Each structure stands twice: as structure tokens, then as C-alpha cells.
Amino acid sequence: MYHDLPRTARFWSFLLAVDQDLAESARKKACSCGGRLHCANYLRKPRGTRPQLPEPQCLRLSFCCDRDGCRKRVTPPSVRFLGPKVYLGAIVILISAMRQGPSPRRVRELSTCFGADRRTIARWQVFWREHFPQTPFWKVARARLTPIFEITSLPYSLLDAFLRRHPRCRGWTLLLRFLAPITIPGALRIEVSR
Ligand SMILES: [Zn+2]
């Protein structure tokens, strides 16, 4: 069972470094209109971290096109923030996975520790069970993964797949990287099948 997140400051600064790489490649690609992208980060104040993270850790890296008439915002994928959720991606995964485990008491402890109430956690469950499997991302990505995942055991089965094969920090990083494409605004829209 995977009871906890890596606690070290190194883990969190490493995730920030991965986000900075992802942001840099987005910046290099420029805006679709050809305009240059300027830094337009915003503060997300992620919940669910203890102790409080220093400010750079709370910044959602983002850009704004510098061309008049466009000014489009471009937000690259992130290994730290999961979609529009204010909780850090790692915590959303961990607490949701724990819910599927055999130890409800431990879930209570985690929820208290990270300040997520039952309703929030229930919403995350709905996200993993109903919303996530319908995303274009998952439909493509699941084909690359062995074993085949049961929807009912997401995200536990995902966490298990990554942590079983790698040391903890590395496993978490690889998993968050794998999920990074769903953190772009709009990426979680459900594709309506015809
Ligand atoms: Zn533009």
C-alpha cells in the first residue's frame, strides 16, 4: 500500500523543475498566431500541503501572447496542478487511491492532514471513475499501459503500476509526468462518442 507522499522538499522542488521544463518548451513553441509568449504566471495557493509551500511552488506557470488583437493565454501542462483543482495533483491521486484501499481510518487521517472534506474527496472519486476514463487522453494513453486497467480501480491501479516498478520519488514523478497532459485547461473535456 502507498500511504504517503514523499515528504522531502527535494521532491517538491523537483516537480517544480519539471514544470519549468514543460513551460519552457511551451514558450519556445510560441503562440499559434506567431506572437511571442510572455510570462503571465498566476498564484494558485494549492491546498493540501503541509507545511505551507514557499510562493514559487504555488505559481501556476503560464504565458500570454504579446500580439495586440490576440493576447491569448497559453498554459502548459503541469505535474503539480491537476486541471482546475486547487489541490496538488499528487494529493488528489493519493487520497483517491487510499479510498479504494482497505484502510478507511488512514483516509480520515490524510483528509484531516490535507484539509480535504468528504464532499471534496467524493467529487474526486467521481472524477476518476466517470470523468477521467472518458477523456481523449485516457483513451489513447491506456493502450500504452500494461496491464489493462479496471476503471473501478482508478487511480489506485495507476499509482500501483508506477510505484511498483520504481523507487517512490521517481515513481511519483513518472506518474505525474504521465498525467501532465490532462492538466492543460480544456484537456478534461469529455469527447462525446457518436
Ligand atoms: Zn497570439
Side-chain angles (χ1 to χ4, degrees):
M1 282 301 293
Y2 312 108
H3 287 319
D4 219 337
L5 289 170
R7 292 268 160 173
T8 59
R10 249 184 64 207
F11 173 68
W12 298 104
S13 17
F14 184 67
L15 294 183
L16 175 60
V18 174
D19 268 13
Q20 284 163 339
D21 287 348
L22 292 167
E24 185 52 22
S25 19
R27 194 187 61 76
K28 279 190 189 142
K29 273 191 217 146
C31 180
S32 49
C33 78
R36 281 164 48 130
L37 294 177
H38 284 199
C39 178
N41 300 335
Y42 50 96
L43 203 57
R44 281 290 290 274
K45 286 217 173 36
R47 280 194 265 170
T49 47
R50 202 185 65 155
Q52 276 315 84
L53 291 171
E55 187 169 310
Q57 295 278 15
C58 305
L59 282 181
R60 180 66 166 102
L61 304 178
S62 188
F63 301 97
C64 196
C65 175
D66 73 345
R67 204 168 265 188
D68 280 335
C70 178
R71 303 280 174 198
K72 200 174 111 187
R73 180 177 277 282
V74 175
T75 302
S78 163
V79 294
R80 295 175 303 145
F81 299 98
L82 185 65
K85 297 179 195 320
V86 290
Y87 287 86
L88 290 174
I91 290 151
V92 175
I93 298 166
L94 181 68
I95 295 189
S96 305
M98 294 294 303
R99 277 278 295 223
Q100 295 156 328
S103 170
R105 189 173 146 263
R106 179 72 194 159
V107 177
R108 266 207 307 281
E109 281 169 25
L110 270 173
S111 323
T112 312
C113 170
F114 291 121
D117 61 21
R118 284 176 61 146
R119 275 183 53 201
T120 304
I121 295 173
R123 276 200 297 272
W124 293 346
Q125 296 296 116
V126 172
F127 165 78
W128 287 109
R129 205 174 43 228
E130 289 165 24
H131 204 109
F132 178 74
Q134 301 303 321
T135 56
F137 166 80
W138 179 242
K139 287 177 177 170
V140 174
R142 68 176 308 181
R144 304 204 316 258
L145 293 168
T146 46
I148 302 301
F149 290 98
E150 292 291 334
I151 284 169
T152 48
S153 60
L154 286 168
Y156 180 81
S157 46
L158 264 180
L159 186 60
D160 182 59
F162 282 82
L163 290 197
R164 192 193 297 237
R165 284 181 234 166
H166 306 278
R168 204 161 62 133
C169 278
R170 172 131 184 88
W172 269 104
T173 307
L174 289 172
L175 172 59
L176 293 168
R177 259 206 118 112
F178 170 78
L179 290 172
I182 67 171
T183 61
I184 307 170
L188 287 174
R189 266 197 299 267
I190 297 175
E191 204 175 47
V192 180
S193 48
R194 275 168 266 182

